[in-house]
Amino acid sequence: MSSRNEPASAQASTKQVSGQPNAANIWRLLGLSAIGIFIFFVPITLEGKTSIPLDHMVGYLRGVLGPVAGYYALAMIWVGAAYPFVTGQWKTNTTEMVFSLLKVLGALTAVLALTGWGPDALQSKDMLPFLFNKLVISVGLIVPIGAVFLALLVSYGLLEFIGVFLQPVMRPIWKTPGRSAIDAVASFVGSYSIGLLITNRVYKAGQYSAREAAVIATGFSTVSATFMIIVAKTLNLMEIWNQYFWLTLAITFVVTAITVRIPPLSGMDDHARDPEPEVPSGQRVRTAWQSGLDVAHNAPGLLENVKLNFREGLLMTLSILPSIMSVGLIGLLLAKYTPVFDWVGYIFYPFTAIFGLDGAMELAKASATGLAEMFLPALLLGDADMVVRFAAGVVSVSGVLFFSASIPCILSTEIPIGVGRLVVVWFLRVALSLLLAIPAGMLIAG
């Protein structure tokens, strides 16, 4: 992922031209950002369905495309499978080689899903048809469309404005610089790849220590809001979208505040060559306002920005869809036909059983599958009790680490954290997330 272009907001922040509080800059900072907030966070009701505007757009487009949507997804998967070999990325390291081969497998299974060919075990409704029709097509549409509107959230100063205000809490709570708030929010409203790209570049510049970079990569660089919509739709949680989104955000960051204080992250090197200076006392509001204006002033024009973000969204789609088809299918087959995740699930059972929850064992086993692919807990528990569905939705996101995408992305950066540490951090995050998500779900359920 480190080969991708730096997002517009990060590019703009490297410029030194100060933004003036004129109408154009204020409109960019407040107006365009407000539109982005509306698209992602304000639920509206259309034709009896309550959801955020982005979800309505995707639903409308899928209805217009009809059967063509499947061929679109297949084309994206095949291009995505070919991309590492065309660019030479497949031979970068062993991890890239393995996942490039898995993407080829994903391309082959996508053909089976669309045509209905293959053994009954693959064509049962909870296998290839479910992966392809319920997940892949939705992701293939929502990520590029979402990327267009993400330009409004991440490119015109909103993240920088918020980041300055969060400086006083980032260091004491998460032991990271204030600027890491931008990485955290960029991941949540953009994607983990954008967040990791920013984190890696800041780390290479000496502005993050190894521990700080690892904390951000494993604790903040989770899946984006657009992917959370897919999770919520799969689990029938869109009616409580705002509760789900904000509680997941809170639980994710609470878990990160805990994991940063315990091994393996707590023992990593914490020296940065160029640490962040403190904002002068009494100047936080002025600094936040000016930081937002600076980014708004230096950002590319709206059309150029949309094109840049749309390209990022397409690249993200090409990367993820083949992996979902291959790793997701492998995970589903292991979950259905082998006891592998049952064994791992027993490790998490004490964290679910403590609440006397119906379906505690099912939730524990499904949570274990998240290491393979973050969507699997949602795929396995779509018809479960509301509390179980809510907890599965939270764990899918707050676990952060999964082998189909985020772990290979982290391994492709220069952040010095290996697979072993990543798996340990994943276990800690899932266990802590369950302890927080289940009571939160109970409160929502009443």
Side-chain angles (χ1 to χ4, degrees):
M1 292 297 171
S2 58
S3 63
R4 291 185 176 175
N5 291 334
E6 190 172 1
S9 59
Q11 291 173 344
S13 64
T14 63
K15 300 180 180 180
Q16 300 300 317
V17 180
S18 296
Q20 300 301 315
N22 54 41
N25 289 335
I26 292 174
W27 161 249
R28 283 182 158 201
L29 174 58
L30 300 182
L32 295 180
S33 297
I35 295 172
I37 291 171
F38 170 75
I39 294 296
F40 279 93
F41 300 117
V42 180
I44 59 176
T45 302
L46 292 176
E47 298 181 352
K49 177 185 176 182
T50 300
S51 188
I52 57 175
L54 178 61
D55 187 36
H56 286 298
M57 295 178 197
V58 172
Y60 174 78
L61 180 59
R62 183 164 185 177
V64 170
L65 291 175
V68 176
Y71 292 98
Y72 156 77
L74 179 64
M76 295 293 283
I77 289 171
W78 273 80
V79 173
Y83 187 81
F85 297 97
V86 173
T87 61
Q89 184 179 340
W90 71 276
K91 54 187 177 183
T92 304
N93 52 52
T94 303
T95 302
E96 286 289 350
M97 187 178 300
V98 170
F99 277 90
S100 295
L101 294 175
L102 285 172
K103 287 177 181 179
V104 173
L105 176 61
L108 297 176
T109 56
V111 173
L112 300 181
L114 189 62
T115 61
W117 299 340
D120 292 341
L122 296 182
Q123 293 298 341
S124 61
K125 65 179 182 179
D126 58 346
M127 288 294 167
L128 283 180
F130 190 82
L131 271 177
F132 191 77
N133 297 320
K134 298 294 185 181
L135 183 57
V136 167
I137 293 177
S138 295
V139 170
L141 293 173
I142 204 168
V143 173
I145 297 173
V148 170
F149 294 101
L150 286 170
L152 304 177
L153 279 179
V154 304
S155 301
Y156 293 102
L158 178 66
L159 299 187
E160 286 73 14
F161 179 81
I162 294 172
V164 171
F165 284 107
L166 289 178
Q167 284 179 5
V169 301
M170 297 303 293
R171 178 63 67 183
I173 297 178
W174 292 287
K175 298 184 181 297
T176 58
R179 62 167 68 97
S180 64
I182 298 172
D183 300 56
V185 181
S187 296
F188 230 86
V189 304
S191 71
Y192 53 83
S193 67
I194 292 176
L196 286 170
L197 180 61
I198 297 172
T199 303
N200 190 49
R201 294 195 177 194
V202 175
Y203 171 68
K204 289 194 296 183
Q207 295 175 319
Y208 286 155
S209 68
R211 186 188 59 77
E212 290 168 347
V215 169
I216 296 164
T218 62
F220 296 152
S221 296
T222 187
V223 295
S224 67
T226 52
F227 280 99
M228 288 181 66
I229 297 169
I230 304 296
V231 173
K233 285 169 65 70
T234 303
L235 291 166
N236 299 312
L237 296 175
M238 286 307 295
E239 290 186 358
I240 56 167
W241 164 253
N242 273 325
Q243 295 99 311
Y244 168 68
F245 179 87
W246 293 110
L247 282 170
T248 300
L249 182 73
I251 289 171
T252 299
F253 290 167
V254 167
V255 169
T256 300
I258 297 172
T259 56
V260 70
R261 290 169 165 80
I262 57 179
L265 296 178
S266 63
M268 297 184 67
D269 177 64
D270 198 25
H271 173 74
R273 298 193 310 272
D274 183 21
E276 179 183 70
E278 294 292 328
V279 174
S281 177
Q283 297 185 31
R284 194 162 302 279
V285 173
R286 177 186 297 178
T287 302
W289 178 246
Q290 188 59 52
S291 296
L293 288 176
D294 289 347
V295 174
H297 177 76
N298 290 314
L302 182 59
L303 181 59
E304 180 186 354
N305 215 344
V306 166
K307 289 168 61 178
L308 288 170
N309 279 270
F310 182 65
R311 179 179 179 275
E312 287 289 328
L314 283 178
L315 289 174
M316 177 72 60
T317 305
L318 295 176
S319 175
I320 289 175
L321 292 191
S323 296
I324 292 175
M325 285 305 302
S326 58
V327 179
L329 178 62
I330 292 169
L332 286 176
L333 290 171
L334 288 175
K336 186 172 183 178
Y337 296 109
T338 77
V340 170
F341 289 115
D342 291 350
W343 298 335
V344 180
Y346 283 114
I347 301 175
F348 294 117
Y349 181 64
F351 301 99
T352 58
I354 192 174
F355 297 99
L357 187 67
D358 290 336
M361 191 69 240
E362 289 76 10
L363 177 58
K365 292 178 180 179
S367 298
T369 66
L371 181 61
E373 162 56 45
M374 60 82 56
F375 284 112
L376 289 180
L379 293 175
L380 295 172
L381 296 174
D383 297 322
D385 175 77
M386 188 271 172
V387 175
V388 172
R389 285 186 282 117
F390 180 85
V394 172
V395 168
S396 292
V397 177
S398 62
V400 175
L401 303 167
F402 51 100
F403 273 107
S404 68
S406 69
I407 289 177
C409 287
I410 294 172
L411 294 176
S412 70
T413 69
E414 297 187 27
I415 301 170
I417 184 169
V419 173
R421 279 181 172 175
L422 290 173
V423 172
V424 173
V425 173
W426 166 81
F427 166 77
L428 294 172
R429 294 196 65 86
V430 171
L432 292 168
S433 296
L434 288 169
L435 292 175
L436 295 172
I438 294 173
M442 289 177 170
L443 287 175
I444 292 175

